[in-house]
Amino acid sequence: MLLFAGTLARSGDARASGISLDFPRTEDGPGIKVGGNSRVHPGFALGVGYDSNVFSTNAPRSVRDAMYLAPTGWIGVGNRRIRNGVLDSPVEASARLVDYNLSAIGGYRSYLTRRETVKDASRFNMSLRGRLVVAPARRFSLALNEDMSRLGEPRNFEASREYHFDRLHNSFSAHAIVRPATGRLSLRFGYLNRYLYFMATDLSTGDRTVNGFEHESKWRFRDRSALVVRYQWLWTFYLNCCAQPGTGRNEDSKAHRAWAGFVGQLGRRAEMEALVGYGYGRYEFDVNGPNFSKPIGRLGISYFPTPRTRLQVRAQHSFQDALFGNYHVTLGGEAFASHQFRWKMLASLGAAVSQRHTAGLPVPGRETQDVAHYDAATDARRTYKREDWLYSGQFRLEQSIGRLFVLGLHYTAHVTDTSFAIYYTNGDISPGAYQRHRVMLVGAVRY
């Protein structure tokens, strides 16, 4: 429990369940045509980079930096591209029977250092992704989505190889879409399943499965503009968790989310998603911690001033289950811009900032015996809540050379600003604040 709390309380559920492989992958090329409309996109890249904070830690722990190599290979095949995680299928019905996209990527990050603990932080990552739509845009369609990843990551303190944060994450969904009458109205019914498994045995209390149902009613009043109503129900169940107080148990939960709003095009060059709703999360086995019951929503606008330029801004207020505590509440936004120059150079720049509250932290002495107390402010209020400010940024520059070769420069930054810290009964201290910067030169062969 000690290591579980130290890692997951400071990194939060985003790193545990989010898919962030940070591969030196480049944009696909023209591809190799197979069959009638499908194309295969293979590629290989070698990244040479610098990591300013291998263990994502802060004082009083040691902060270690290192150079690294990151060889990566990938292959994909499909008749449609994936855009923002969704298969880009046209809304008009046609003779197509199937739209699909299948891809796989794998890579290894090897730290170049004489320090054994940093060398032991070298990790292998891989991800498989599939999107399939049967009978797209017809009266009845079936959509299947699958994402499976092996995520390798060291702990947030300097330690030997056996103390790692490696995990398997799987996300599957199946949706049936019905379009009665003229097809303007579509009804989507779906089943969702997510699975999270930690490979380190001392983190096994974080193993969990999520099952759920979701529905969307969409009225399309233009070809690419619609009014929508969405509902989602998720049941989070921890597989190896405890049933008795005093052991730092994770809390099962049942969460409801409902939204209504607009999605689609605004004119010829802009797209918008504007949704408002309400969320309710119940943690019925936690007699000390709170439930969530507040408005939620998100707003996103994408603008395309030219066919080669994209500008995007997003904001959201949301909640999700937390591995250490009951839930996270996030309020924040992000901005992104990309441009394809005439000389085949692609540039992109993005930044995000959010305020994250974590509620229902285990009560020291009652729900956990490993934690003595938290930071002074949290203990004084006796609310057992945590507040973080999260900042991130990315910059990418990729220059195509001919049809096959790409040279690139990638930079990412992650900063957590918080006064929160965990004080353990054994005298150890785990501060929540840290910053990490990674820069990488990339050479790739792709088609």
Side-chain angles (χ1 to χ4, degrees), residues 48-83:
V48 180
Y50 170 76
D51 190 333
S52 71
N53 193 346
V54 174
F55 300 103
S56 298
T57 188
N58 200 348
R61 304 181 190 272
S62 299
V63 177
R64 304 297 184 191
D65 62 341
M67 300 289 294
Y68 64 86
L69 290 177
T72 300
W74 66 87
I75 188 168
V77 59
N79 59 1
R80 296 290 171 188
R81 291 183 179 268
I82 294 178
R83 183 178 179 183

Side-chain angles (χ1 to χ4, degrees), residues 115-179:
R115 185 178 291 274
E116 289 297 324
T117 51
V118 178
K119 290 174 63 176
D120 287 344
S122 301
R123 288 291 185 272
F124 170 75
N125 290 279
M126 60 85 64
S127 178
L128 304 175
R129 181 170 65 176
R131 300 289 185 271
L132 173 68
V133 178
V134 180
R138 299 191 187 182
R139 291 291 179 89
F140 179 82
S141 300
L142 178 65
L144 302 176
N145 298 331
E146 169 68 18
D147 292 274
M148 193 277 286
S149 298
R150 193 274 187 191
L151 305 170
E153 190 174 13
R155 291 289 176 89
N156 63 322
F157 55 88
E158 189 171 3
S160 57
R161 177 176 289 270
E162 58 265 26
Y163 292 107
H164 55 75
F165 196 43
D166 300 351
R167 67 264 193 201
L168 297 175
H169 182 273
N170 190 79
S171 178
F172 169 80
S173 66
H175 292 86
I177 304 100
V178 181
R179 300 176 180 87

Side-chain angles (χ1 to χ4, degrees), residues 189-211:
F189 304 88
Y191 164 74
L192 300 93
N193 175 266
R194 299 167 186 165
Y195 183 75
L196 178 64
Y197 170 77
F198 290 93
M199 299 179 185
T201 57
D202 63 307
L203 299 180
S204 63
T205 54
D207 297 347
R208 70 184 183 188
T209 182
V210 179
N211 289 280

Side-chain angles (χ1 to χ4, degrees), residues 90-109:
V91 298
E92 299 84 5
S94 68
R96 301 186 322 275
L97 296 178
V98 172
D99 283 350
Y100 76 100
N101 189 291
L102 307 174
S103 62
I105 184 170
Y108 188 82
R109 183 183 301 275

Side-chain angles (χ1 to χ4, degrees), residues 207-285:
D207 297 347
R208 70 184 183 188
T209 182
V210 179
N211 289 280
F213 164 83
E214 63 181 5
H215 168 72
E216 178 188 79
S217 295
K218 178 187 293 185
W219 174 258
R220 184 163 52 89
F221 58 89
R222 294 179 181 174
D223 285 345
R224 291 185 176 271
S225 299
L227 299 176
V228 299
V229 175
R230 294 173 180 171
Y231 169 77
Q232 183 186 77
W233 176 82
L234 295 178
W235 175 33
T236 300
F237 178 76
Y238 287 89
L239 302 176
N240 303 311
C241 206
C242 339
Q244 300 298 322
T247 52
R249 65 192 189 281
N250 297 90
E251 302 295 345
D252 299 342
S253 67
K254 295 177 182 177
H256 303 263
R257 296 173 176 87
W259 305 268
F262 169 88
V263 294
Q265 285 186 332
L266 289 176
R268 298 178 57 185
R269 297 184 178 181
E271 297 176 350
M272 185 176 75
E273 179 186 55
L275 300 173
V276 295
Y278 202 85
Y280 177 72
R282 179 169 175 77
Y283 297 80
E284 56 189 353
F285 297 109

